[in-house]
Amino acid sequence: MDLATDLPICATCGVQYDAPRPDCPVCEDERQYVGWDGQRWTTLGTLRAEGFRGRLEPEGPGVYGIGAEPKISIGQRALLVTTPGGNILWDCVPYLDDDLIAQVNALGGISAIAVSHPHFYGSMIDWSHAFGDVPVYVHAADEQWLGRRSSAVDLWTGETLTIGEGLTLVNGGVHFDGGTVLHHAGGENGQGALFSGDILQVVLDRRYVSFMYSYPNYIPERPETVRRAIRLLEPFAFEAIYGAFWQTVVRTDGHAAMHRSADRYLRFVADPAHPS
């Protein structure tokens, strides 16, 4: 399938838009930023001409990281979550080419795409088209941030959504109102895995996660929002938590790591004089 190699991609956040425009609303929001050199744009065609290439590497049992070299925008990697009922692309990246499509197809292709929040929309519509117009699950609370509209986008509502056997989207609401994580009950050889993007951000310690309204601008998330997310995730068992960037993975005792991380976070941000 021909991809939209000429559509504008924001060079700072990596979100693709359906037509040229002077601004990137995602970057102008207080959770992101416009680059210090001003708003800059690229395209898939330009990235290919400049020598960018896809990167696909194992990140865990049945999990493959997908990104680009050199790094594009904020450098996140998507995750191909392989399951007997079909593979899920968790989060997305701006880059895609024929070699990367072939590598993903060799692993069973993609049955659906699910995205945690607008910063990781990337070129998700091109990814959908490349694998047969598979559905792209985006929480409806984040609809305003869509850079490109498509009938493939499934704007789901509510707190949870089952998208396959043992595959559940959970709207934790951290970072963005539609902030979503993916739970895979069969992940980590049956011990469970949580794919969190930076809704639960795996920190450099990798024994903990954190919760931020804005990462680049250091705005902490509201305590009541963090408490709600932990409440929604409490029923799900998971050994590992996969974050947004290469090798940012809590490898063991993920459920307990989530709790101790939330306890630590709330201990530092909660103000007894102003209860949340």
Side-chain angles (χ1 to χ4, degrees), residues 9-265:
I9 295 172
C10 176
T12 300
C13 72
V15 173
Q16 185 187 61
Y17 288 86
D18 57 11
R21 58 182 301 144
D23 62 339
C24 172
V26 172
C27 284
E28 293 196 341
D29 177 70
E30 65 183 352
R31 283 161 286 201
Q32 180 59 9
Y33 61 94
V34 177
W36 290 3
D37 295 327
Q39 180 61 53
R40 295 183 299 114
W41 300 97
T42 187
T43 67
L44 272 179
T46 300
L47 292 171
R48 293 177 184 178
E50 291 175 343
F52 286 81
R53 60 186 181 83
R55 175 182 175 187
L56 189 151
E57 297 177 8
E59 281 277 73
V63 179
Y64 297 85
I66 298 175
E69 290 182 340
K71 181 180 76 173
I72 301 172
S73 61
I74 59 178
Q76 82 271 18
R77 54 99 171 90
L79 290 167
L80 184 69
V81 183
T82 63
T83 83
N87 299 340
I88 306 299
L89 182 67
W90 170 247
D91 277 334
C92 206
V93 291
Y95 191 73
L96 182 61
D97 62 22
D98 291 341
D99 287 342
L100 199 48
I101 293 170
Q103 291 181 68
V104 172
N105 277 328
L107 294 169
I110 294 171
S111 297
I113 299 169
V115 185
S116 61
H117 72 292
H119 294 156
F120 295 163
Y121 286 172
S123 298
M124 63 185 185
I125 303 305
D126 274 338
W127 276 86
S128 170
H129 291 340
F131 293 94
D133 294 324
V134 298
V136 180
Y137 294 100
V138 172
H139 198 277
D142 288 343
E143 180 181 8
Q144 73 181 92
W145 304 106
L146 290 172
R148 205 176 153 192
R149 300 279 173 163
S150 169
S151 59
V153 175
D154 186 325
L155 292 167
W156 66 282
T157 59
E159 294 181 340
T160 63
L161 178 71
T162 299
I163 61 171
E165 185 175 354
L167 295 163
T168 306
L169 298 177
V170 182
N171 169 227
V174 174
H175 194 29
F176 276 78
D177 289 345
T180 295
V181 300
L182 169 67
H183 180 258
H184 180 206
E188 302 302 295
N189 301 312
Q191 297 180 90
L194 190 71
F195 300 90
S196 67
D198 58 10
I199 306 308
L200 278 62
Q201 176 74 284
V202 177
V203 298
L204 294 181
D205 187 319
R206 293 190 297 180
R207 295 176 298 167
Y208 289 85
V209 298
S210 194
F211 315 86
M212 296 291 280
Y213 180 77
S214 169
Y215 291 95
N217 299 321
Y218 306 111
I219 306 172
E221 186 51 90
R222 296 149 293 186
E224 63 269 23
T225 301
V226 174
R227 293 189 184 102
R228 174 182 175 273
I230 301 307
R231 174 179 60 81
L232 290 175
L233 289 169
E234 177 59 34
F236 298 93
F238 46 92
E239 181 72 4
I241 305 174
Y242 288 81
F245 301 94
W246 293 100
Q247 298 183 336
T248 54
V249 183
V250 177
R251 295 288 179 188
T252 60
D253 209 15
H255 197 273
M258 175 187 72
H259 275 289
R260 65 173 175 262
S261 298
D263 290 345
R264 181 174 74 173
Y265 179 87

